[in-house]
Amino acid sequence: MIFDIDMIREVYAQLPEKIATAKEKLGRPLTLTEKILFSHLSPGTSVKNYNRAADYVNFAPDRVAMQDATAQMALLQLMNSGRTSVAVPSTVHCDHLIQAYKNAETDLETANVTNREVFEFLRDVSNKYGIGFWKPGAGIIHQVVLENYAFPGGMMVGTDSHTPNAGGLGMIAIGVGGADAVDVMAGLPWELKMPKLIGVKLTGKMSGWTSAKDVILKVAGILTVKGGTNAIIEYFGEGAETLSATGKGTICNMGAEVGATTSIFPFDEKSAVYLEGTGRKEVADEARKIMEHLQPDAEVVANPEKYYDELIEINLSELEPHINGPFTPDAAYTISEFAEAVKQNNYPRQMEVGLIGSCTNSSYEDLTRAASIIREAKKDNLSVKARFIINPGSEQVRYTAERDGVLQEFEDVGAVIMANACGPCIGQWRRTEDKSERTNSIVTSFNRNFAKRNDGNPNTHAFVTSPELVAALTIAGDLCFNPLTDTLENEKGEQVKLAEPAGYEMPPQGFDVKDAGYMAPSEDGAQVQISIDPDSKRLQKLEPFAAWDGNDYTDLPLLIKVKGKCTTDHISMAGPWLRFRGHLDNISDNMLIGAVNAFNDKTNSVLDPDKMEYTEVPALARRFKAHGVGSIVVAEENYGEGSSREHAAMEPRHLNVKVILVKSFARIHETNLKKQGMLALTFVNKDDYNKVQERDKISITGLTGFAPEKNLVVKLVHPDGTTDSFEAAHTYNKQQIEWFKAGSALNSMKK
């Protein structure tokens, strides 16, 4: 089945002329990124040389994708938008709410019972508004999108930070919050800051233990977790043409870990083969006709330093396998460096669990390459020393891998096949070992490894690598094992070297599936009734946020001054809290409970200035709110790094936090704050962070003249009566200031 073929043909019919117009007006060759962006400008938006990382531009994406955890809030907002159906093709994918515990069948049955209310709500709203619905067990959103919806030259938004996975098929795919998705579903222009361009030139060809995952692990080490902020990473070069479509998807997927707006590869024959293999020959044929428009211009490839803001070159022939971590995805080590790093840093050397899956690495190719290592090790009488967990990426991948005996290879050595879902990657892992917060190490093929991310234990050292190295280290049970150089002792006492991985980019017998898990929406959505139990603990109708009262913020108490890294996992944890993603009040009880208080180095412990005792962050915010008092959060660099979850912005808004003042923001989170009517400010002088004291009263002045590129003033009144004042910057444009004044972007839309 080919979805949206008429829409794709329409995009392709217009693409050449739109690109020609852009090249003529700009007077220069174009990168692939520019071709897609300028061909997706919102009607009425002019083609011109926008200032990168500065100018806001309106776009018209082709489609929207939402996963179940974020779709709840997105659809609750859609219900308040006044729309009767979505303006662009949209889908919901049930992948985040399935907990990995025993095995696929048992866990899926449990999820369908425990999440019945939410799944039925998502299904019914999808039916009402013309949204395609992918049932629990159908697969992980980004793998399903790659198999069914991604197309070269297209543009989409998704309510998940790893939406860029679709860049593996040459699509501009951007992670957003639910309010942004509602804009697109409502047919409104969608606003994005014109991104900078980072070019990554790939030469050579990978071999042996090296995989596509190692490209992005190396790039993460180069750029760090904020080096890609407000930038699109565009890969090109002859090396790019040697990578499979799913391998390219892996690279684009994990570009979220460097803060990139998205990542993209050119369309090539590998892309066409994947489209054909997943039942989309018509799309491949149409794309081939306009291939020159789905690649950067030849002049760009010949002289990339002239067209990209930053250029990175990687020789795939020389690229070494990498392992990144723990606690941050940009701590990059080559496999030859890693053992020494483990010893020097005193990381727990015993590797306890190996996990293969997630939206990053759960393709047929990933599974077959890892399975080949397991198969050969078994032949050599090597046993597997660590626990082994596998999450296939989709029902199509799972069914085909089972048919071909791939899953049996894993099960033969004791691996557990979990549901086609995110599972441990998003914290949905009921880990059955000792429940204490003991120090231990796990190795995953996932994308993120923040503290508590996978199992809720802050002392679990999670390392991110390729499925191939996960398999090798699971066999060894030792983080210091290097499969490229080291041997293992088998059951006969012999020293054995692991065989190099070998797999299939595409199934030799083709893909197959009995029930992919798709449900088309009702043809008459007007007849569908949506009901939410007012006593529900899982779902809650949204009430509009209050508009700004027209005054400066004065004498706000400090809620928390955050020290160090503060990701969206710190602001609004996943794991067991996922069950409240459709209930704003209930989930607000997790607000900032993972953030470290700069004044006592503790989490979820802040000073109540009236009672002079420490209490939980949400409890203090609720007490302030009950007395009609707003509050302020102060934090450091890259605040809101990580997931696109807009709950990290909606919870402070709900609990009457007025201002988030930080050294710098992650892109998606800053946008989410603006959408919800929050005031997102940055220190002009980052040292001013040090001036904020625990019992300060904080005022923000200049709001009555709130205007683009005009700084506001922060005034601190310290407990001893002394004061400090300094400027704070912002990036609000005129439209975003209207969102602030209206109380939220949704309020502004309804007006």
Side-chain angles (χ1 to χ4, degrees):
M1 178 181 181
I2 301 180
F3 293 94
D4 311 321
I5 186 62
D6 291 336
M7 179 267 284
I8 295 171
R9 286 187 177 127
E10 184 177 350
V11 170
Y12 285 173
Q14 298 176 10
L15 206 63
E17 183 180 349
K18 288 183 175 181
I19 291 172
T21 299
K23 289 170 72 170
E24 179 182 356
K25 290 193 175 183
L26 299 177
R28 58 176 170 79
L30 298 181
T31 63
L32 173 60
T33 297
E34 291 173 310
K35 289 181 178 182
I36 300 176
L37 290 179
F38 282 112
S39 64
H40 282 82
L41 294 174
S42 183
T45 303
S46 60
V47 175
K48 63 180 182 180
N49 271 310
Y50 291 99
N51 294 317
R52 296 175 183 173
D55 290 345
Y56 286 94
V57 185
N58 286 332
F59 293 97
D62 300 310
R63 65 169 304 106
V64 174
M66 298 164 279
Q67 41 93 335
D68 51 357
T70 51
Q72 296 171 64
M73 199 58 70
L75 296 182
L76 285 165
Q77 291 175 86
L78 179 65
M79 291 167 61
N80 283 349
S81 71
R83 291 286 305 191
T84 56
S85 64
V86 292
V88 300
S90 304
T91 50
V92 166
H93 304 257
C94 296
D95 61 357
H96 275 56
L97 297 179
I98 303 168
Q99 186 181 61
Y101 177 37
K102 292 185 176 179
N103 55 59
E105 183 177 0
T106 302
D107 294 348
L108 187 57
E109 288 177 358
T110 300
N112 277 319
V113 172
T114 59
N115 299 304
R116 179 182 60 80
E117 179 184 13
V118 172
F119 290 152
E120 289 181 355
F121 168 76
L122 295 174
R123 181 200 64 201
D124 291 346
V125 178
S126 295
N127 259 330
K128 186 172 186 63
Y129 290 93
I131 299 170
F133 182 75
W134 290 81
K135 297 183 292 186
I140 304 172
I141 176 173
H142 309 304
Q143 181 67 28
V144 173
V145 166
L146 197 71
E147 292 175 6
N148 295 277
Y149 298 110
F151 67 96
M155 184 178 190
M156 69 174 284
V157 298
T159 59
D160 190 280
S161 56
H162 294 103
T163 299
N165 192 80
L169 274 179
M171 192 175 203
I172 291 287
I174 300 175
V176 299
D180 274 352
V182 171
D183 280 353
V184 179
M185 289 189 289
L188 297 176
W190 174 66
E191 183 185 68
L192 177 72
K193 187 178 288 185
M194 182 59 79
K196 295 183 295 184
L197 300 179
I198 298 175
V200 180
K201 182 179 180 180
L202 301 179
T203 60
K205 185 176 182 179
M206 296 184 307
S207 62
W209 285 89
T210 305
S211 77
K213 184 66 164 276
D214 298 307
V215 175
I216 187 57
L217 293 176
K218 181 177 178 66
V219 169
I222 295 170
L223 291 176
T224 77
V225 291
K226 58 180 292 189
T229 303
N230 290 322
I232 290 180
I233 303 175
E234 183 173 315
Y235 295 83
F236 64 96
E238 66 270 20
E241 298 174 5
T242 68
L243 301 174
S244 68
T246 52
K248 292 169 186 170
T250 291
I251 294 168
C252 292
N253 177 300
M254 201 175 159
E257 272 50 72
V258 299
T261 300
T262 192
S263 302
I264 192 169
F265 276 85
F267 174 70
D268 57 23
E269 272 305 306
K270 293 275 192 179
S271 314
V273 167
Y274 185 77
L275 286 167
E276 291 172 341
T278 51
R280 293 173 286 171
K281 185 177 185 304
E282 287 180 64
V283 178
D285 290 344
E286 294 294 329
R288 282 191 179 102
K289 294 175 186 176
I290 57 168
M291 183 176 279
E292 65 178 292
H293 301 297
L294 302 174
Q295 299 175 338
D297 285 334
E299 298 93 328
V300 172
V301 175
N303 301 287
E305 65 283 348
K306 292 174 59 177
Y307 301 97
Y308 297 100
D309 298 290
E310 184 176 349
L311 183 63
I312 297 170
E313 296 191 34
I314 297 175
N315 185 338
L316 299 179
S317 302
E318 299 173 355
L319 181 63
E320 193 176 348
H322 277 60
I323 301 179
N324 288 24
F327 305 128
T328 185
D330 59 350
Y333 301 96
T334 63
I335 186 65
S336 58
E337 300 168 334
F338 186 62
E340 186 59 31
V342 170
K343 296 170 185 175
Q344 284 189 355
N345 294 296
N346 200 30
Y347 298 146
R349 180 168 174 170
Q350 180 187 357
M351 194 279 232
E352 296 193 15
V353 191
L355 303 106
I356 292 176
S358 91
C359 58
T360 322
N361 279 110
S362 54
S363 67
Y364 187 86
E365 179 182 23
D366 292 326
L367 295 182
T368 56
R369 281 176 63 85
S372 74
I373 299 166
I374 299 295
R375 180 173 60 252
E376 294 305 313
K378 186 181 177 187
K379 288 180 183 177
D380 289 331
N381 298 302
L382 287 167
S383 58
V384 173
K385 299 290 175 54
R387 286 184 65 205
F388 211 177
I389 294 174
I390 312 293
N391 283 81
S394 69
E395 176 58 16
Q396 179 167 262
V397 166
R398 188 212 65 79
Y399 186 92
T400 305
E402 182 180 58
R403 179 201 67 190
D404 295 347
V406 177
L407 298 186
Q408 192 63 50
E409 303 275 11
F410 292 112
E411 291 178 309
D412 286 346
V413 297
V416 178
I417 311 300
M418 296 294 186
N420 315 317
C422 303
C425 181
I426 191 61
Q428 285 284 53
W429 180 20
R430 185 175 172 184
R431 195 171 174 186
T432 54
E433 297 103 310
D434 178 12
K435 292 295 182 183
S436 66
E437 294 187 344
R438 62 186 179 83
T439 301
N440 71 102
S441 290
I442 64 174
V443 180
T444 81
S445 71
F446 304 163
N447 37 50
R448 297 205 171 117
N449 55 357
F450 306 139
K452 295 188 178 184
R453 170 82 179 186
N454 305 125
D455 61 2
N457 180 355
N459 297 313
T460 292
H461 292 55
F463 298 92
V464 175
T465 189
S466 65
E468 294 88 338
L469 281 189
V470 172
L473 292 172
T474 303
I475 293 168
D478 180 3
L479 286 185
C480 292
F481 173 67
N482 180 351
L484 282 71
T485 58
D486 300 345
T487 59
L488 296 169
E489 185 175 312
N490 70 5
E491 295 168 0
K492 297 180 179 180
E494 303 165 332
Q495 292 297 312
V496 177
K497 190 174 182 182
L498 293 180
E500 290 183 350
Y504 299 96
E505 290 184 10
M506 302 291 289
Q509 301 176 56
F511 281 111
D512 196 9
V513 66
K514 282 189 176 179
D515 178 8
Y518 175 72
M519 295 177 63
S522 170
E523 292 185 5
D524 185 7
Q527 303 304 312
V528 179
Q529 299 298 315
I530 309 297
S531 61
I532 296 176
D533 183 348
D535 296 324
S536 172
K537 303 299 183 185
R538 298 290 301 271
L539 296 168
Q540 179 186 47
K541 287 185 177 180
L542 284 178
E543 296 297 329
F545 291 128
W548 175 55
D549 66 5
N551 299 311
D552 287 340
Y553 291 142
T554 57
D555 295 331
L556 298 177
L558 176 71
L559 180 63
I560 183 172
K561 180 179 177 180
V562 181
K563 176 182 177 181
K565 186 185 283 282
C566 191
T567 72
T568 49
D569 280 79
H570 294 83
I571 306 167
S572 176
M573 290 182 180
W577 290 95
L578 285 173
R579 67 186 185 276
F580 297 132
R581 283 284 182 87
H583 197 295
L584 182 55
D585 192 56
N586 282 348
I587 199 169
S588 293
D589 283 334
N590 80 358
M591 185 189 74
L592 286 160
I593 64 175
V596 176
N597 183 350
F599 297 110
N600 62 8
D601 288 329
K602 294 181 179 180
T603 58
N604 204 22
S605 176
V606 288
L607 182 68
D608 184 327
D610 296 322
K611 298 181 179 179
M612 291 302 294
E613 59 186 36
Y614 283 91
T615 186
E616 296 176 340
V617 183
L620 181 58
R622 287 186 185 278
R623 194 179 76 76
F624 287 150
K625 180 181 178 179
H627 289 84
V629 176
S631 59
I632 182 170
V633 171
V634 174
E636 298 201 66
E637 300 281 5
N638 210 28
Y639 182 82
E641 168 193 344
S643 169
S644 69
R645 67 191 67 153
E646 66 181 340
H647 299 76
M650 296 185 79
E651 292 172 32
R653 184 73 168 96
H654 176 64
L655 295 185
N656 209 30
V657 176
K658 300 294 187 182
V659 185
I660 310 291
L661 173 62
V662 302
K663 293 181 180 179
S664 65
F665 284 104
R667 175 191 65 86
I668 298 177
H669 188 65
E670 183 180 25
T671 300
N672 286 346
L673 289 169
K674 292 177 179 180
K675 286 278 185 177
Q676 301 305 333
M678 294 283 289
L679 191 59
L681 303 178
T682 56
F683 292 99
V684 171
N685 179 354
K686 294 182 181 182
D687 290 339
D688 288 336
Y689 167 89
N690 300 318
K691 295 177 180 177
V692 179
Q693 298 179 21
E694 194 167 25
R695 293 165 54 208
D696 281 352
K697 294 291 187 180
I698 306 172
S699 299
I700 310 295
T701 63
L703 283 175
T704 53
F706 195 11
E709 300 181 9
K710 183 180 179 182
N711 290 347
L712 299 172
V713 175
V714 180
K715 182 179 179 181
L716 309 177
V717 178
H718 303 305
D720 63 1
T722 61
T723 64
D724 272 304
S725 92
F726 51 83
E727 290 192 353
H730 67 85
T731 61
Y732 288 75
N733 59 25
K734 288 183 179 180
Q735 176 176 279
Q736 293 166 349
I737 290 172
E738 291 306 311
W739 298 344
F740 170 76
K741 291 179 177 179
S744 71
L746 189 59
N747 289 356
S748 182
M749 178 200 303
K750 292 172 73 174
K751 285 171 64 179

